């Protein structure tokens, strides 16, 4: 039974439908954006709450979890959950939920859009026009890379990696990939995807390299100067996963020195800050972490997060809650 005794903290406003659903399960506190962007800010308040619905920018570390004496569940408003100390949550029997599946298509669309925008220089061409430089059609203006027949290398062939690959196939691209575990033969056949065990061998084949892996100690700065130097000089890098999978200093260096031709980045290591050398790098399209930002998807993310909270608070066996990371 829903209980008004449960206190639920939402770290910033989320879609209304999710809030309306969650209200039935306890007393909500909806904080203003930015209130809980440090562990210190959470540690003081978390002891009052039974459930926390947080953003990917909310650092839910060991101290926060230990301070959450009543805490039963942390639901992340995101599929990635590198902001949460999962090991400690398990030890303390605090459930952690994420939001898989519902954002896959929005992110697949977005990755394809990012690639098109960078490969065809949308940003520079628009600036050229807005600055009054467009004096008529030019045979040599803004020449970019055509995608048909090019190879898209994907590191991280999970749901979002596959969604991007499907779209890229429709544009006539070849797919090469690396993943922790090789995907099934069916998926490989469907995408005509070639598996590479070694990142460097994969990078040598790529015209475009996309990072779609989760951020873990193993993937931290996975795209470093060594790997960047393996890419052909016309290559484009796409990242919609987490900023820290790229060594941003090395990427900025590669862009400034024409080691690669361009980058489309939706994520950054120290969000909301962007590495200053990326801000000035040529052919680098940078966006404020909006891959999943569609009305439909953000509402679905909200519903999935609040359903996990309402299920845990109302005593549903954890085996029946599909989006729990900790069982
Ligand atoms: C997530 O959900 O992890 C994504 O980064 C949102 O775009």
């Amino acid at each position: 039974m829903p209980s008004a005794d449960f206190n639920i903290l939402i770290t910033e406003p989320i879609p209304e439908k999710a809030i309306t659903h969650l209200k039935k399960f306890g007393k909500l506190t909806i904080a203003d954006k930015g209130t809980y962007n440090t562990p210190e800010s959470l540690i003081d308040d978390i002891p009052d709450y039974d459930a926390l619905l947080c953003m990917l920018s909310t650092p839910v570390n060991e101290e926060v979890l230990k301070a959450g004496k009543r805490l039963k569940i942390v639901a992340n408003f995101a599929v990635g959950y590198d902001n949460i100390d999962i090991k400690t949550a398990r030890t303390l029997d605090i459930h952690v939920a994420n939001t898989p599946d519902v954002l896959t298509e929005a992110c697949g669309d977005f990755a394809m859009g990012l690639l098109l925008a960078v490969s065809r220089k949308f940003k520079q061409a628009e600036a050229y026009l807005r600055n009054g430089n467009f004096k008529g059609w030019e045979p040599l203006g803004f020449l970019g890379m055509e995608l048909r027949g090019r190879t898209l290398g994907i590191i991280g062939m999970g749901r979002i990696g596959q969604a991007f690959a499907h779209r890229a196939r429709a544009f006539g691209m070849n797919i090469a990939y690396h993943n922790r575990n090789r995907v099934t033969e069916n998926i490989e056949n469907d995408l005509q995807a070639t598996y590479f065990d070694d990142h460097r061998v994969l990078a040598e084949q790529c015209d475009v390299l996309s990072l779609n892996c989760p951020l873990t100690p193993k993937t931290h700065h996975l795209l470093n100067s060594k790997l960047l130097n393996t890419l052909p000089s016309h290559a484009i890098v796409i990242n919609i996963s987490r900023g820290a999978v790229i060594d941003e200093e090395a990427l900025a260096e590669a862009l400034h020195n024409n080691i690669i031709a361009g980058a489309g980045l939706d994520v950054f290591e120290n969000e909301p800050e962007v590495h200053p050398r990326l801000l000035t790098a040529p052919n680098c399209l940078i966006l404020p972490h909006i891959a999943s930002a569609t009305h439909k998807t953000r509402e679905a993310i909200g519903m999935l997060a609040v359903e996990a909270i309402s299920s845990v608070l109302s005593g549903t066996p954890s085996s029946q809650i599909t989006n729990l990371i900790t069982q």
Side-chain angles (χ1 to χ4, degrees), residues 152-224:
L152 166 63
I154 296 181
I155 297 183
M157 196 54 123
R159 302 173 186 88
I160 296 172
Q162 288 173 39
F164 186 16
H166 273 293
R167 285 152 178 84
R169 285 294 298 152
F171 279 78
M173 298 188 81
N174 307 312
I175 309 298
Y177 80 98
H178 172 86
N179 197 48
R180 254 177 320 188
N181 304 308
R182 198 166 165 167
V183 299
T184 63
E185 213 177 314
N186 271 354
I187 296 173
E188 281 189 0
N189 289 343
D190 196 24
L191 294 169
Q192 292 290 293
T194 310
Y195 173 74
F196 288 85
D197 194 34
D198 190 301
H199 293 143
R200 285 210 289 152
V201 184
L202 170 69
E204 280 166 10
Q205 325 291 316
C206 292
D207 301 297
V208 179
L209 182 66
S210 174
L211 287 319
N212 293 96
C213 50
L215 174 62
T216 66
K218 275 200 175 142
T219 62
H220 183 262
H221 286 194
L222 178 152
L223 183 57
N224 53 21

Side-chain angles (χ1 to χ4, degrees), residues 74-314:
V74 176
N76 215 26
F77 190 91
V79 66
Y81 49 86
D82 47 278
N83 56 311
I84 302 171
D85 180 346
I86 301 295
K87 216 169 126 199
T88 301
R90 274 206 185 99
T91 317
L92 297 173
D93 277 331
I94 298 170
H95 290 297
V96 177
N98 71 339
T99 62
D101 294 320
V102 291
L103 44 69
T104 303
E105 302 307 325
C107 290
D109 286 353
F110 186 85
M112 197 65 223
L114 204 49
L115 173 54
L116 285 167
V118 176
S119 64
R120 300 302 299 275
K121 308 190 177 179
F122 285 2
K123 184 180 90 164
Q124 301 90 314
E126 202 217 20
Y128 178 83
L129 184 148
R130 282 186 188 276
N131 292 335
N133 296 320
F134 180 42
K135 307 288 184 215
W137 188 86
E138 295 169 44
L140 298 176
F142 301 102
L143 304 184
M145 180 168 77
E146 206 153 311
L147 299 181
R148 180 164 296 276
R150 298 289 192 170
T151 297
L152 166 63
I154 296 181
I155 297 183
M157 196 54 123
R159 302 173 186 88
I160 296 172
Q162 288 173 39
F164 186 16
H166 273 293
R167 285 152 178 84
R169 285 294 298 152
F171 279 78
M173 298 188 81
N174 307 312
I175 309 298
Y177 80 98
H178 172 86
N179 197 48
R180 254 177 320 188
N181 304 308
R182 198 166 165 167
V183 299
T184 63
E185 213 177 314
N186 271 354
I187 296 173
E188 281 189 0
N189 289 343
D190 196 24
L191 294 169
Q192 292 290 293
T194 310
Y195 173 74
F196 288 85
D197 194 34
D198 190 301
H199 293 143
R200 285 210 289 152
V201 184
L202 170 69
E204 280 166 10
Q205 325 291 316
C206 292
D207 301 297
V208 179
L209 182 66
S210 174
L211 287 319
N212 293 96
C213 50
L215 174 62
T216 66
K218 275 200 175 142
T219 62
H220 183 262
H221 286 194
L222 178 152
L223 183 57
N224 53 21
S225 65
K226 213 165 161 189
L227 199 58
L228 282 159
N229 276 292
T230 316
L231 288 165
S233 58
H234 62 265
I236 289 170
V237 167
I238 299 293
N239 188 13
I240 65 163
S241 61
R242 287 292 179 268
V245 301
I246 295 182
D247 175 346
E248 293 176 338
E249 177 69 33
L251 176 62
E253 203 58 26
L255 288 163
H256 280 283
N257 294 318
N258 301 319
I259 304 293
I260 61 165
L265 310 172
D266 185 45
V267 287
F268 305 93
E269 180 157 8
N270 298 311
E271 289 177 18
E273 266 143 51
V274 178
H275 192 294
R277 300 252 298 149
L278 285 177
L279 288 172
T280 57
N283 206 15
C284 184
L285 178 55
I286 49 176
L287 296 168
H289 206 147
I290 55 167
S292 68
T294 69
H295 291 289
K296 181 181 167 193
T297 288
R298 289 288 167 84
E299 189 169 285
I301 291 176
M303 287 309 288
L304 203 52
V306 302
E307 275 159 16
I309 292 178
S310 56
S311 300
V312 166
L313 294 184
S314 54

Side-chain angles (χ1 to χ4, degrees), residues 24-80:
K24 297 179 217 145
F25 293 87
K27 188 170 158 289
L28 304 194
T29 303
I30 305 172
D32 290 333
K33 179 176 168 54
T35 310
Y36 292 112
N37 280 355
T38 60
E40 294 70 36
S41 54
L42 265 174
I43 286 167
D44 282 348
D45 295 347
I46 203 70
D48 294 340
Y49 293 98
D50 301 277
L52 171 67
L53 195 161
C54 63
M55 306 301 127
L56 52 85
S57 51
T58 322
V60 186
N61 67 8
E62 185 178 345
E63 288 72 37
V64 171
L65 291 164
K66 283 188 171 156
K69 299 285 179 216
R70 297 169 56 157
L71 207 52
K72 295 161 191 62
I73 174 162
V74 176
N76 215 26
F77 190 91
V79 66

